[in-house]
């Protein structure tokens, strides 16, 4: 256990692409231990201060990080970017250098992934991505834990991603291909995942044996799938595109009971939340017996603890 905890000491977590498969599996195993024993390592972050910068709203990420830090004995400081001088034009570089003098780790939810890179460049403290327009590694860790709990393995599992090739899709692509899961993405033309992430996924798959498919056909994507995943069609910051997006996605890309029946009989439904019932998913699916969305949400807490312990100890 000690070795696992020390494996990410002092490092940033901006994308799972920066971790080797054993490090990702180490985090998942540690998360499972932390889930089994809520008191495990309590007090271990005593004296540690964690800054949590949020440029966008959050329920799960903000609260799971806050609770994780608190249960481990550290102190979280929630910082809305519009209440910092950052909101009035102080640079990220200056903010980063100042925060470095006060805190032990910085988590940040940003509009632009480049801002996260800038933050990491100017602070000597570890930076954890709490969601950017490109990536959501904390979500994918929780999702991988959920899959591992359900199936007892990740390698060889087929994930069908239906809908927008967005930040969560990008990080799922990386998590899956690092650990040898297959992934089939069905999205409308123009909504494919980021090119760079697809290239990384291809590289990962050479070592892991993952199969990657990008198609426009949801029915093809869910064939033989163990996991059917989706996310909102209108991510934060894209509200102005809402009408166009709904026209491009609906009705074809909604995960319905009919689509779920085309996957494996024991396939599960996953969604990072928040969800819009009647848009990316029908109520019968997200509230049905194959949905594991509440486990995913709970697992955000255990994986957040694992990440903090691994980086800070
Ligand atoms: N899944 C997720 O990151 O949710 P929040 O936006 O509520 O943090
Ligand atoms: N893709 C969504 C995820 C929210 C957790 C967004 O960026 O808004």
């Amino acid at each position: 256990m000690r070795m696992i905890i020390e494996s990410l000491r002092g490092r940033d977590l901006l994308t799972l692409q920066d971790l080797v498969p054993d490090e990702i599996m180490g985090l998942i195993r540690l998360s499972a231990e932390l889930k089994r024993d809520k008191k495990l390592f309590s007090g271990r972050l005593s004296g540690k201060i964690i800054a949590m910068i949020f440029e966008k709203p959050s329920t799960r990420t903000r609260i799971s990080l806050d609770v994780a830090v608190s249960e481990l004995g550290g102190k979280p400081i929630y910082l809305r970017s519009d209440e910092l001088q950052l909101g009035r034009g102080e640079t990220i570089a200056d903010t980063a250098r100042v925060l470095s003098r006060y805190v032990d780790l910085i988590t940040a939810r940003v509009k632009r992934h480049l801002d996260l890179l800038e933050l990491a460049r100017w602070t000597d403290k570890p930076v954890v991505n709490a969601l950017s327009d490109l990536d959501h590694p904390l979500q994918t860790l929780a999702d991988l834990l959920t899959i591992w709990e359900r199936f007892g393995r990740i390698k060889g599992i087929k994930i069908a991603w239906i809908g927008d090739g967005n930040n969560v899709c990008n990080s799922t692509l990386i998590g899956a291909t690092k650990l040898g899961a297959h992934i089939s993405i069905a999205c409308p033309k123009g909504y494919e995942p980021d090119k760079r992430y697809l290239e990384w996924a291809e590289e990962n798959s050479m070592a892991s044996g993952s199969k990657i498919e990008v198609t426009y056909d949801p029915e093809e994507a869910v064939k033989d799938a163990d996991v059917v995943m989706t996310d909102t069609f209108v991510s934060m910051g894209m509200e102005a595109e809402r009408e166009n997006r709904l026209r491009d996605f609906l009705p074809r890309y909604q995960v319905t009971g009919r689509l779920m029946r085309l996957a494996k009989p024991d396939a599960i439904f996953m969604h990072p939340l928040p969800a819009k019932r009647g848009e990316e998913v029908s109520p019968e699916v997200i509230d049905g017996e194959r949905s594991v969305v509440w486990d995913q949400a709970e697992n955000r807490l255990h994986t957040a603890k694992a990440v903090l312990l691994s980086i800070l100890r």
Side-chain angles (χ1 to χ4, degrees), residues 131 136 166-168 231-232 235-236 273-274:
L131 180 145
H136 197 4
N166 64 11
N167 45 6
V168 180
D231 185 14
T232 180
S235 282
M236 289 179 277
L273 304 177

Side-chain angles (χ1 to χ4, degrees), residues 20 23 37 45 77 85 94 125 127 206 221 251 257 280 286 305:
V20 299
E23 289 169 339
D37 178 0
L45 296 190
I77 308 179
Q85 296 289 7
D94 289 358
K125 298 294 159 64
V127 175
M206 311 248 193
E280 71 274 12
I286 191 166
K305 277 184 169 175

